[in-house]
Amino acid sequence: MFAYLVRRLFLMLVTLFGISVVIFFLLRVVPGNIVDILFAAAGYVDPADKANLEKELGIDQPLVVQYWHWISGFLRGDFGYSYVSEKPALQEILPRIPITARLAGLALLFSASIGIPLGVISAVKQGTRLDYALRVVSLSGLSLPSFWLGLLILTASVAMFNQMPIFNPNPQTWLEAFATYAVPAAAVGFRSAALTMRITRSSMLEVLRQDYIRTARAKGASDAAVNYHHALKNAILPVITVIGIEAAFLIGGLIVTETVFNIPGVARFLVEAIRWRDYPIVQNLVMLIAVVVVSANFIVDMLYAVFDPRIRYTD
């Protein structure tokens, strides 16, 4: 187990190094930079002023030197300065992380708490009207884009209550915080819940056909014990994998959701930084997202051994 952990940690470091190289050089491949954008907005180009600004920002140096300055600073916790606001990048990023973290966490909680029970019910009630209804709901969740669902929620809110959900950056109570994040989290988590439900249903149906399930029923075990204690415990591994993957893909949905609901989170800020070619912000945000995704995959691998005692990581 220890050797496996060492190998996985080493692989994580290699993966993050490769991601950092791709992030850095792809940003430089895109035509134009922050200096070009600023001078274009000003309506004139003074070569001397432009050269001075490039030197001040450090983007006139060789790419290898720029990469070393960035990655060494990132490892030290020095994220540099935003080209747009001229404030420390970390100061710009840190206040937005809790907002996106709460939204993503609530969306994942919504996905698991709704998708897994409904998937179990759909598998247990296979072939019934309830099963068909739940399958239609899951297919709808996979088909509806999160931005369209968010706009639909906003339209319905205006039609029914004559007001739109307003983001409260400083909720005073737990209930206010839940009310602030629940609607956008449900909008972005609906697709994840639908996928989780379909995977849970498929995995449960496969497990329910196994011999040990028939043996448990023959011994007089209750339906609840068979379905949740015996079947679900053995069907949960594919579901854990899907939830881990969805945690990675959630950023894409959050970009749209934060824009639709006007939430000042990390995902929306990333889009704005890309538009302005604000390299310190983009590089560090994407790198932080990569760290979260790689760590989530590592945690999923470790959870396999927790939920299934048959799995042992050996040399």
Side-chain angles (χ1 to χ4, degrees), residues 32-48:
N33 55 39
I34 183 64
V35 177
D36 295 327
I37 294 175
L38 291 176
F39 275 86
Y44 74 96
V45 176
D46 187 326

Side-chain angles (χ1 to χ4, degrees), residues 1-2 7 63 67 74 95-96 131 153 186 203-204 207 293 296:
M1 186 67 175
F2 178 75
R7 288 198 302 270
L63 292 180
Y67 173 79
F74 181 87
R96 294 173 168 85
D131 177 34
I153 292 174
S203 186
M204 280 288 295
V207 171
V293 172

Side-chain angles (χ1 to χ4, degrees), residues 19-83:
I19 291 173
S20 69
V21 173
V22 172
I23 293 170
F24 181 85
F25 287 100
L26 280 184
L27 278 175
R28 270 64 182 182
V29 170
V30 177
N33 55 39
I34 183 64
V35 177
D36 295 327
I37 294 175
L38 291 176
F39 275 86
Y44 74 96
V45 176
D46 187 326
D49 291 343
K50 181 178 179 181
N52 290 334
L53 184 57
E54 288 179 345
K55 183 177 181 180
E56 180 182 344
L57 297 177
I59 59 180
D60 63 327
Q61 298 176 345
L63 292 180
V64 176
V65 176
Q66 293 184 49
Y67 173 79
W68 171 250
H69 287 164
W70 166 57
I71 200 64
S72 60
F74 181 87
L75 295 175
R76 296 194 309 268
D78 180 9
F79 289 6
Y81 285 80
S82 169
Y83 292 164

Side-chain angles (χ1 to χ4, degrees), residues 153-198:
I153 292 174
L154 293 178
T155 304
S157 176
V158 172
M160 296 174 62
F161 306 108
N162 293 323
Q163 64 179 5
M164 296 176 62
I166 300 175
F167 178 77
N168 181 9
N170 298 307
Q172 301 300 319
T173 64
W174 181 89
L175 187 60
E176 287 184 10
F178 179 79
T180 298
Y181 291 97
V183 175
V188 72
F190 184 49
R191 178 194 173 278
S192 298
L195 180 60
T196 302
M197 183 168 68
R198 289 183 67 86

Side-chain angles (χ1 to χ4, degrees), residues 113 165 194 224:
S113 60

Side-chain angles (χ1 to χ4, degrees), residues 1-15 294 298 301-302 312-315:
M1 186 67 175
F2 178 75
Y4 175 79
L5 286 175
V6 172
R7 288 198 302 270
R8 285 291 285 115
L9 290 173
F10 176 75
L11 182 60
M12 286 175 59
L13 294 177
V14 173
T15 302
V294 172
F298 175 77
D301 286 347
M302 296 301 101
R312 288 293 178 267
Y313 298 109
T314 61
D315 294 332

Side-chain angles (χ1 to χ4, degrees), residues 22-283:
V22 172
I23 293 170
F24 181 85
F25 287 100
L26 280 184
L27 278 175
R28 270 64 182 182
V29 170
V30 177
N33 55 39
I34 183 64
V35 177
D36 295 327
I37 294 175
L38 291 176
F39 275 86
Y44 74 96
V45 176
D46 187 326
D49 291 343
K50 181 178 179 181
N52 290 334
L53 184 57
E54 288 179 345
K55 183 177 181 180
E56 180 182 344
L57 297 177
I59 59 180
D60 63 327
Q61 298 176 345
L63 292 180
V64 176
V65 176
Q66 293 184 49
Y67 173 79
W68 171 250
H69 287 164
W70 166 57
I71 200 64
S72 60
F74 181 87
L75 295 175
R76 296 194 309 268
D78 180 9
F79 289 6
Y81 285 80
S82 169
Y83 292 164
V84 177
S85 66
E86 299 182 356
K87 297 179 180 178
L90 192 61
Q91 182 179 327
E92 294 278 5
I93 294 172
L94 280 181
R96 294 173 168 85
I97 291 179
I99 296 175
T100 299
R102 295 189 196 105
L103 186 58
L106 193 58
L108 285 177
L109 179 62
F110 175 84
S111 171
S113 60
I114 300 296
I116 294 177
L118 291 184
V120 173
I121 294 172
S122 182
V124 172
K125 302 294 183 181
Q126 182 187 15
T128 63
R129 292 182 179 179
L130 178 59
D131 177 34
Y132 287 121
L134 292 176
R135 290 165 67 182
V136 169
V137 172
S138 66
L139 186 60
S140 301
L142 293 173
S143 304
L144 297 178
S146 59
F147 74 89
W148 185 85
L149 185 59
L151 291 174
L152 187 64
I153 292 174
L154 293 178
T155 304
S157 176
V158 172
M160 296 174 62
F161 306 108
N162 293 323
Q163 64 179 5
M164 296 176 62
I166 300 175
F167 178 77
N168 181 9
N170 298 307
Q172 301 300 319
T173 64
W174 181 89
L175 187 60
E176 287 184 10
F178 179 79
T180 298
Y181 291 97
V183 175
V188 72
F190 184 49
R191 178 194 173 278
S192 298
L195 180 60
T196 302
M197 183 168 68
R198 289 183 67 86
I199 296 298
T200 303
R201 180 182 184 276
S202 299
S203 186
M204 280 288 295
L205 287 176
E206 182 179 352
V207 171
L208 288 173
R209 300 188 183 102
Q210 300 300 315
D211 292 338
Y212 62 85
I213 297 297
R214 287 192 288 269
T215 301
R217 295 187 189 278
K219 288 183 176 181
S222 64
D223 289 339
V226 170
N227 295 331
Y228 292 96
H229 180 69
H230 296 285
L232 183 58
K233 285 181 64 176
N234 290 278
I236 200 67
L237 288 186
V239 181
I240 293 175
T241 303
V242 169
I243 293 176
I245 295 174
E246 283 300 300
F249 282 100
L250 199 60
I251 293 297
L254 287 180
I255 290 174
V256 177
T257 303
E258 289 184 355
T259 302
V260 171
F261 287 91
N262 196 28
I263 299 175
V266 168
R268 180 185 173 190
F269 187 49
L270 176 60
V271 174
E272 296 174 354
I274 292 174
R275 181 163 57 91
W276 283 98
R277 305 288 195 278
D278 198 347
Y279 295 151
I281 298 295
V282 177
Q283 292 168 173

